[in-house]
Amino acid sequence: MNVRYAMNRRKAVAVIAVVSAALLMGGCGAEEKPKADKPAATTSAPQTGAPTQASQEAEEPAESLAILKGRQGVELSISSAERDAGGFLTIKGQLKNPSGSAVILPAEMRGNETEVIKHGLTLAGATLVDSVGKKRYYVLRDTDGRPLTTTGLDSLGPGKSTAVFMQFPAPPATTTEVSFQLPTFEPATLKLS
């Protein structure tokens, strides 16, 4: 157990060193483009006016199902939790850094399973709890053990956001709400559609 802890600490120190070097050399490397008359999103934090990383990918909905607060002020705004015909439940949203300084995202978000750790920082630690059905659902993995969620998450620059998703097995149709949990973030209740 102590060997795993020491290895994780060394990886975290290495990630911090690489990110710090990247920030010193001129930013996070994301190409920024000005916004084109995008309506302001409803959030609990004031807008800084800086364009977001995901503004080219998708428009943010005017309303969120839930906004979860995490470490260093990072927020996860969940915009949808939808079942599909294939028996999956996909959760989509935005991971945001409303602060004025860059943040390193916590490694705990990926969970602690050996299979997902080797795929980098993801949201694979997320779970859904169906208290009525007394079941817990984990992020799905593909045949190579890669989690079916956003990958490559390491840091967010000041005022930046990025689109994220997580895919779970769908709870039964009779389950209309679940508790969403992501390590280092407060839990939230989600209504399913």
Side-chain angles (χ1 to χ4, degrees):
M1 188 76 164
N2 288 337
V3 173
R4 182 181 289 165
Y5 177 76
M7 288 176 60
N8 286 340
R9 292 293 277 179
R10 277 185 258 173
K11 287 179 187 175
V13 169
V15 167
I16 291 170
V18 169
V19 171
S20 297
L23 289 173
L24 288 174
M25 294 181 74
C28 295
E31 182 181 324
E32 293 186 16
K33 294 181 183 174
K35 287 187 193 176
D37 294 338
K38 178 179 166 187
T42 305
T43 63
S44 60
Q47 296 294 320
T48 61
T52 63
Q53 197 173 6
S55 62
Q56 298 88 16
E57 295 174 19
E59 294 286 318
E60 286 185 53
E63 209 172 287
S64 294
L65 296 178
I67 297 177
L68 291 70
K69 303 242 186 247
R71 287 188 191 158
Q72 299 176 327
V74 175
E75 296 177 351
L76 175 60
S77 175
I78 297 176
S79 57
S80 68
E82 297 179 353
R83 290 180 172 95
D84 67 24
F88 304 113
L89 175 76
T90 303
I91 294 179
K92 294 180 183 177
Q94 295 278 325
L95 197 58
K96 303 176 182 183
N97 174 13
S99 76
S101 59
V103 295
I104 305 296
L105 296 172
E108 293 92 341
M109 292 188 322
R110 71 176 172 213
N112 58 6
E113 294 178 41
T114 305
E115 273 302 307
V116 297
I117 288 175
K118 67 183 178 184
H119 296 290
L121 191 50
T122 66
L123 301 175
T127 58
L128 298 176
V129 177
D130 174 4
S131 57
V132 174
K134 296 182 177 17
K135 264 190 133 169
R136 180 179 296 246
Y137 298 90
Y138 294 88
V139 171
L140 293 167
R141 274 74 166 165
D142 68 12
T143 55
D144 294 324
R146 287 186 296 264
L148 299 180
T149 180
T150 306
T151 60
L153 300 169
D154 55 5
S155 67
L156 280 175
K160 301 288 183 187
S161 69
T162 188
V164 295
F165 81 96
M166 293 149 274
Q167 198 165 44
F168 298 88
T174 55
T175 300
T176 57
E177 69 179 33
V178 291
S179 174
F180 174 83
Q181 300 170 356
L182 179 64
T184 75
F185 285 79
E186 59 193 19
T189 299
L190 300 179
K191 300 261 186 225
L192 303 181
S193 58

